[in-house]
Amino acid sequence: MGRLTTHVLDTAAGRPAAGLTIELYRLGEAATLLKSVTTNADGRVDGPLLEGDAFTAGTYELVFHAGDYLRAGGVDIPKPAFLDVIPIRFGIAAAEQHYHVPLLISPYGYSTYRGS
């Protein structure tokens, strides 16, 4: 059965990004908020973001609130921050597969890919 997961690593600090807020939207004629979660001590959420009947083909967006996370961790970032809210838009084509969308962040850059 397919599912959607994520993991956030703070590459500047060399640790998981604990306490980072993530919102998941399904995109269509309008964006629909499906879930809002916060990462745990391992930089993950406590379960899949989507699974079972809720995991369907379509276009989605994960919104990572990196600026709030960095500020809460004592990082001195300018106002406005170079990176504050990071949206990652992606498609799910095969609902029987595992889609893992990790995010590597720092105050001045980020990277993502389809993981396993």
Side-chain angles (χ1 to χ4, degrees):
M1 184 179 305
R3 67 190 186 283
L4 173 65
T5 58
T6 190
H7 187 196
V8 186
L9 298 173
D10 181 337
T11 57
R15 64 177 177 243
L20 190 143
T21 299
I22 304 167
E23 297 165 338
L24 172 64
Y25 293 87
R26 181 173 172 90
L27 304 179
E29 290 184 26
T32 302
L33 177 64
L34 300 178
K35 190 175 277 192
S36 181
V37 295
T38 302
T39 56
N40 61 25
D42 194 33
R44 299 177 186 273
V45 296
D46 293 330
L49 294 167
L50 282 178
E51 64 181 335
D53 292 340
F55 189 72
T56 60
T59 303
Y60 295 84
E61 188 168 85
L62 285 168
V63 178
F64 297 87
H65 292 266
D68 291 344
Y69 159 79
L70 292 166
R71 285 182 204 93
V75 177
D76 185 21
I77 56 176
K79 292 182 183 178
F82 179 69
L83 295 175
D84 191 9
V85 176
I86 301 171
I88 307 293
R89 187 171 291 185
F90 60 96
I92 292 174
E96 71 281 357
Q97 295 182 8
H98 177 195
Y99 283 73
H100 183 66
V101 183
L103 182 69
L104 309 175
I105 61 167
S106 77
Y108 297 99
Y110 70 91
S111 176
T112 190
Y113 54 94
R114 181 177 173 190
S116 58

